[in-house]
Amino acid sequence: MKFLLTSGGITNDSIRNALVDLLGKPISECSALYIPTALHANTNGPTMIARLISGDTKTAPFPDGHVSMCHLGWKSWGVLELTALPSIDKERWHQRVRETDALLVEGGDPLYLCYWMRQSGLADLLPELPRETVYVGLSAGSMVMAPSIGEDFVRWRPPTGGDSTLGLVDFALFPHLDNPSMPDNSMADAEKWAAGMPVPSYLIDDQTAIQVVDGVVDVVSEGHWKRFVPRHE
């Protein structure tokens, strides 16, 4: 798979162009599946999901000009709700995922998302998807690809405890850097978090994304970011 791990979604031309390059064709010729599951762990999750699916992002915490990942001009798109999948035969959804150009994984709670990725079987399917498939994460949807998220981001706790996530990339992510509506997301706070992580970290604002293709990492940004390597590395 190819990864485009964002903090705030497709927020500028550079990130949008990176998405098109990863897809290898215009968005208007591509199919997508939108995964809103991580939002269910938020108190306002149902409202947020409805807004994003309808395309209404003109309210906090979305920045001005933010476009829902569902409404980027896809040829076709659908909703893949992970909590429903354990009760459905794999034959009903595996092939659809395999044939989809992009998986759009919404933000919310990263450990809740990780739990349902594993419970649903999607976590096991991801490494088997065609190389052409593009995974687009937003906030928690990006963080879940790391080996762990750090105790600071633990809210909903899985039955097994801990902060481990899928580990499909070898770095951690701190999203929404210096977001004015998130006072605990300053660079100082981010560096303190990163110093306690077992792997290198990318601290990224909402105008930045991390692209990963065949293990090669590139930063796509019209904002600011920092790569932090803990001293024990």
Side-chain angles (χ1 to χ4, degrees), residues 23-86:
L23 291 167
K25 53 187 175 181
I27 294 174
S28 60
E29 298 177 12
C30 295
S31 60
L33 286 174
Y34 175 67
I35 301 175
T37 304
L39 278 171
H40 288 300
N42 290 10
T43 55
N44 62 342
T47 301
M48 298 295 288
I49 291 170
R51 287 176 181 168
L52 290 160
I53 289 177
S54 70
D56 174 14
T57 57
K58 295 182 175 62
T59 51
F62 302 110
D64 290 341
H66 176 79
V67 177
S68 167
M69 293 196 293
C70 302
H71 295 272
L72 296 172
W74 303 100
K75 179 181 180 180
S76 64
W77 66 274
V79 176
L80 186 69
E81 176 47 61
L82 302 186
T83 61
L85 298 184

Side-chain angles (χ1 to χ4, degrees), residues 37-209:
T37 304
L39 278 171
H40 288 300
N42 290 10
T43 55
N44 62 342
T47 301
M48 298 295 288
I49 291 170
R51 287 176 181 168
L52 290 160
I53 289 177
S54 70
D56 174 14
T57 57
K58 295 182 175 62
T59 51
F62 302 110
D64 290 341
H66 176 79
V67 177
S68 167
M69 293 196 293
C70 302
H71 295 272
L72 296 172
W74 303 100
K75 179 181 180 180
S76 64
W77 66 274
V79 176
L80 186 69
E81 176 47 61
L82 302 186
T83 61
L85 298 184
S87 60
I88 300 173
D89 291 339
K90 292 180 180 179
E91 292 75 15
R92 289 181 175 268
W93 63 275
H94 268 211
Q95 193 58 32
R96 177 67 186 275
V97 173
R98 293 181 188 277
E99 294 173 352
T100 297
D101 294 304
L103 299 179
L104 314 175
V105 187
E106 188 56 73
D109 191 291
L111 290 183
Y112 185 80
L113 174 61
C114 184
Y115 176 81
W116 281 107
M117 280 188 163
R118 289 173 170 152
Q119 291 292 111
S120 67
L122 181 62
D124 293 330
L125 183 60
L126 289 178
E128 301 175 6
L129 294 181
R131 182 184 180 278
E132 293 77 19
T133 306
V134 180
Y135 178 104
V136 185
L138 188 160
S139 190
S142 298
M143 297 172 71
V144 74
M145 291 293 106
S148 60
I149 62 169
E151 190 64 28
D152 289 353
F153 286 106
V154 174
R155 295 174 181 85
W156 182 88
R157 284 191 179 273
T160 55
D163 70 328
S164 64
T165 37
L166 298 183
L168 294 184
V169 300
D170 60 2
F171 54 84
L173 273 174
F174 186 102
H176 310 303
L177 180 66
D178 290 330
N179 186 307
S181 66
M182 300 179 180
D184 293 332
N185 282 33
S186 69
M187 179 63 80
D189 291 316
E191 289 180 343
K192 182 178 179 181
W193 165 87
M197 296 302 290
V199 294
S201 303
Y202 286 90
L203 322 177
I204 63 174
D205 72 353
D206 289 337
Q207 299 298 321
T208 301

